[in-house]
Amino acid sequence: MTQVIKLRPFHYLHLMDMNTNTVSLVTGPAKITCLENHKVVLPPTKMIFVAPRCYVVVTNPVRRITDPKSGESVVEFEGGQAKLRHGEQEIRHAQDPFPLYEGEICGPVLPLEVVQENAALVLTAKRSFFDIYGNVERRAGEQWLFKGPNTYYPQVEVEVTRTQLAVILKPDTALLVEATLDCLDYESNPRKVGEKWLVRGRGAYLPSLTEHVVSTVKSYTLTDTKAIWVTTTVNGKDGLGIPRKAGEEWLITKEDTRTYVPGVHETVTARVSLSVLEPSQYCILLDPYDETTGLPRLGESKLVRGPKSFFLKPGEAVESNWIKQVEILSVSDSMQLEATQDFTDEDGVQRKAGEEWTIYGPRAFCNIPEVKPIAKVSAKLAVESLGLYVFQPGYIFLFMLVSGFYLFSRLVASLWAPTEDVPLVAEL
């Protein structure tokens, strides 16, 4: 018994020839007369329609050959049934509606994936192939990034492993990154596996597949009254581009930078506050910093008198952690001193260890390590109208103001048992 089937446009069916046991594809519009040896194994079915910016995955696709003259054609058996690539898959994008051959399996029509800005797809090659989109040969197991903003066109040889998002770098922060393989960083610097470095700057940073973000490093804020000491364990440049040697320690203040992010091999050893000396104050710096060598002068000391403000530099310390008050000697005061070591005093006089001398007021006295105060002596006899002051040790200190200038003299005399007459004393 014959059967007539009217096939509408964009429809197809599968017709089996019972004599050859082969299945052929019939597409509409057509009028088909089925003979006794024909059997419809797939009734009229609407063709597959793939809209723009969509795709579909076809499993067990037919084999095709391309002829320079006739173009592309389907490979068929003698009975007219199409040969399939069993176990393979084929991705078909937007095109004219197409039918499925016997044995082909079509998945759902899916939209193309749009990769947003500051994001990327991590792709893995399931087998070795030539990437037509990247124009590069890929090996099985290889991974790479497909960065946005862009539209991703899937390939059967490629698997989307995951979506990787960029890390947003906020102001005054940095990323601590570690290399998982030998690679080049974002500045094209070679890196070894396990090596760590900082990614500085602002905005979005998308780590490569050979990088692992360890943590976010916050900066130290420097102010007019706060600074930091920094040390490094390797030779190289610091965050300000200044060459440093391993073990070197240095001071960073607001004058250098407003904020500072320590490098991978740098450590902030201390936060330093501003030291402020008033006009009546002073301090003794131990192991003062030498600007020429960049190292502390170990074992030495330095007098710092106010008014002054400063930051202690690495290695420096204030004696007894104490800011001292300047001792004021009035015009009727004197101070007996002894040198504990060779040095030059404030008046430019060379002093030897063990030497004793006396200073007289009016003046300010700072007790420095090179000097040992013996005694403070006040005048036993003061004639202010004449500017005459007599001190216990037998020295007369005469201070007179005549016509707007000072006359200073010191005479040796004995107050109670003079050995000889002193002309000035006799005259007075």
Side-chain angles (χ1 to χ4, degrees):
M1 178 179 174
T2 60
Q3 179 185 5
V4 177
I5 301 176
K6 295 180 180 179
L7 198 59
R8 293 185 298 170
F10 303 114
H11 285 68
Y12 69 98
L13 59 79
H14 291 165
L15 189 64
M16 175 181 287
D17 188 340
M18 305 295 289
N19 294 333
T20 60
N21 201 28
T22 58
V23 179
S24 59
L25 173 70
V26 181
T27 60
K31 183 177 180 180
I32 306 167
T33 301
C34 297
L35 304 178
E36 294 181 354
N37 62 329
H38 290 162
K39 179 182 178 181
V40 177
V41 294
L42 179 68
T45 304
K46 190 175 181 180
M47 293 184 179
I48 307 299
F49 175 74
V50 181
R53 300 192 62 79
C54 294
Y55 72 99
V56 68
V57 179
V58 177
T59 306
N60 304 326
V62 296
R63 295 182 180 274
R64 301 177 186 272
I65 58 173
T66 302
D67 185 85
K69 295 182 180 180
S70 58
E72 189 178 70
S73 60
V74 177
V75 179
E76 298 179 346
F77 292 103
E78 292 183 1
Q81 183 170 344
K83 291 185 178 182
L84 304 180
R85 293 185 289 129
H86 294 281
E88 297 287 346
Q89 288 183 324
E90 182 178 281
I91 294 179
R92 299 177 185 177
H93 299 282
Q95 55 183 288
D96 293 335
F98 62 89
L100 294 177
Y101 287 85
E102 171 67 16
E104 287 186 326
I105 303 173
C106 183
V109 178
L110 300 174
L112 294 174
E113 185 172 0
V114 177
V115 183
Q116 301 297 329
E117 189 175 4
N118 301 330
L121 297 178
V122 180
L123 307 179
T124 304
K126 296 188 288 185
R127 60 189 179 191
S128 298
F129 75 106
F130 182 78
D131 186 357
I132 59 175
Y133 297 111
N135 195 28
V136 64
E137 194 73 29
R138 305 287 186 186
R139 294 185 177 182
E142 180 181 351
Q143 288 189 325
W144 67 98
L145 290 179
F146 181 82
K147 300 179 181 180
N150 209 339
T151 301
Y152 173 66
Y153 289 86
Q155 302 176 78
V156 295
E157 301 89 355
V158 179
E159 178 184 4
V160 178
T161 305
R162 67 180 187 276
T163 300
Q164 182 163 306
L165 300 178
V167 181
I168 305 301
L169 278 171
K170 297 181 180 180
D172 304 327
T173 60
L175 286 182
L176 178 60
V177 180
E178 181 179 2
T180 56
L181 295 172
D182 292 350
C183 62
L184 297 177
D185 64 12
Y186 72 108
E187 293 180 336
S188 299
N189 298 319
R191 302 291 183 179
K192 296 293 184 180
V193 58
E195 184 178 354
K196 295 181 180 180
W197 67 95
L198 288 181
V199 177
R200 306 174 187 267
R202 288 187 179 184
Y205 178 74
L206 188 62
S208 70
L209 295 178
T210 56
E211 298 174 358
H212 167 63
V213 177
V214 179
S215 62
T216 299
V217 182
K218 294 184 178 180
S219 65
Y220 288 83
T221 301
L222 306 174
T223 65
D224 293 333
T225 59
K226 295 293 182 180
I228 55 175
W229 289 356
V230 183
T231 185
T232 181
T233 57
V234 299
N235 295 334
K237 293 184 177 180
D238 63 12
L240 303 177
I242 302 174
R244 303 292 182 183
K245 295 182 179 180
E248 182 179 352
E249 194 172 12
W250 64 97
L251 173 72
I252 298 180
T253 65
K254 185 182 178 181
E255 295 181 357
D256 301 315
T257 179
R258 186 179 62 84
T259 59
Y260 187 76
V261 180
V264 176
H265 304 288
E266 296 175 3
T267 304
V268 176
T269 56
R271 295 190 180 187
V272 188
S273 298
L274 184 70
S275 299
V276 179
L277 297 179
E278 296 179 359
S280 60
Q281 294 178 330
Y282 74 99
C283 68
I284 306 299
L285 284 186
L286 302 179
D287 303 329
Y289 186 81
D290 191 336
E291 297 290 348
T292 304
T293 62
L295 298 172
R297 301 198 302 270
L298 300 177
E300 297 185 18
S301 60
K302 178 182 178 182
L303 172 65
V304 180
R305 303 182 62 169
K308 189 177 182 64
S309 60
F310 61 94
F311 287 105
L312 289 177
K313 296 185 178 179
E316 292 181 337
V318 176
E319 184 183 40
S320 303
N321 292 324
W322 182 47
I323 295 177
K324 305 176 183 180
Q325 293 290 331
V326 174
E327 186 172 359
I328 304 300
L329 299 179
S330 66
V331 69
S332 61
D333 292 331
S334 67
M335 182 75 72
Q336 295 181 12
L337 306 175
E338 180 182 352
T340 59
Q341 63 187 42
D342 296 348
F343 80 107
T344 303
D345 65 11
E346 296 181 0
D347 300 325
V349 180
Q350 293 287 338
R351 302 294 183 181
K352 299 292 184 180
E355 180 182 350
E356 295 184 5
W357 72 100
T358 303
I359 61 173
Y360 301 92
R363 68 180 299 170
F365 171 69
C366 298
N367 189 6
I368 60 178
E370 295 86 353
V371 175
K372 176 184 176 183
I374 299 176
K376 180 179 179 181
V377 180
S378 298
K380 297 300 182 181
L381 176 63
V383 183
E384 296 184 1
S385 60
L386 300 177
L388 176 65
Y389 300 89
V390 180
F391 295 89
Q392 173 67 25
Y395 296 95
I396 296 178
F397 178 80
L398 182 59
F399 181 81
M400 300 183 66
L401 179 61
V402 180
S403 301
F405 67 90
Y406 292 91
L407 175 63
F408 176 80
S409 65
R410 185 174 62 186
L411 302 175
V412 179
S414 175
L415 180 61
W416 293 279
T419 58
E420 58 181 357
D421 291 335
V422 179
L424 183 58
V425 175
E427 182 180 351
L428 293 175

